Amino acid sequence: MVSSVERNERTVPDDGETVENSDGIAEFYSAVGKLVKLYRERAGITQRQLAERIGYSEDMVGLIERGKRTPRIEFLTVVDPIVNAGGALTVVADDVMKAKVRVSERHPAFSKAFTAEEAKAIEIHEYSSLNIPGLLQTEAHARALYDMRRPWLSVEQIDSWVVARMTRQEILSRWPLPVMSWVIDESALRRPLGGWDIHEAQLRHLLSVAEVRGVELQVMPLDRTENAGMGGSFALLTPAGGAQIAYVEVQHVNRLITDPVEIRKMAARYGTLRGQALTMRESLALIEKTLGER
């Protein structure tokens, strides 16, 4: 059974895009969606009935059937027996995974759907448990992160992804600025990814960004006995004129979450994290202390 989070979230393909790719991948996803619809209608099941049985929203089922969203592997394997597909959807699931891999090889790991929302957001809040958030990374740090990926990325891929990440940072130079805050785990400040020279420049960049009026940067120290962020990193965005949304990413799986109940929980969690973290003054002092320890 699919969880209540999955039931209401807006799930995006593994590359973070809605389905609008080249190389015939969009057409393939469209064909899979049509196949789902064919078997569902043959079984005499409505979209709403199918959605209720598998824990998805009716809207999401419709998007998948129209080829507008990539079907998850779990979706196909669960739906197959319900619509009496006789294993056809389960077999196709393997090809869907291969198509996702092809797409992920061409695009950055961060979600394009997320960055599209981020670019027009009036509020951006993020908790990072492992690394420096993308909007705060130096070019050398971002390049080092991509260079250490396994399987290996091509030089062309790395160059393209670094440019995309740096382009995102134009948000920091626009006016008026969105309301922005970050809580970063201290471990990210202690981990010299790419070597000390790159890491030192990254820490100094954090101090520089913190000088921008309207930017709030806090550190979650390692000695805290309570940490509300042990579930992992997440971001909260508020689009102009729209409801707040959340974003989570682990490995190659990216999700935008729109369920109001889940959003409220995550917003409350972020508020707790800010209360548990060092103040901004204390956080900057810790970064400077880390620089001086070398």
Side-chain angles (χ1 to χ4, degrees), residues 47 51 56-64 66:
Q47 285 186 349
Y56 269 54
S57 68
E58 182 179 357
D59 179 59
M60 181 58 69
V61 172
L63 289 171
I64 291 173
R66 295 195 301 275

Side-chain angles (χ1 to χ4, degrees), residues 234-249:
F234 63 93
L236 294 165
L237 302 177
T238 304
Q244 192 173 49
I245 61 176
Y247 174 76
V248 294
E249 176 182 317

Side-chain angles (χ1 to χ4, degrees), residues 101-118:
V101 171
R102 286 176 59 193
V103 171
S104 66
E105 290 173 346
R106 296 200 306 270
H107 295 284
F110 55 79
S111 165
K112 286 194 173 182
F114 166 72
T115 55
E117 298 289 352
E118 180 185 67

Side-chain angles (χ1 to χ4, degrees), residues 157-206:
Q157 283 177 322
I158 294 174
D159 288 344
S160 174
W161 292 11
V162 169
V163 169
R165 177 150 294 182
M166 294 302 102
T167 300
R168 286 175 61 199
Q169 296 182 7
E170 293 177 358
I171 294 172
L172 295 169
S173 60
R174 78 186 190 199
W175 190 260
L177 277 175
V179 175
M180 294 185 288
S181 70
W182 290 271
V183 177
I184 306 173
D185 194 85
E186 183 183 348
S187 61
L189 306 180
R190 301 287 182 182
R191 191 175 294 116
L193 300 178
W196 175 253
D197 288 346
I198 290 176
H199 187 60
E200 179 183 17
Q202 175 63 73
L203 294 182
R204 295 193 183 283
H205 180 64
L206 291 179

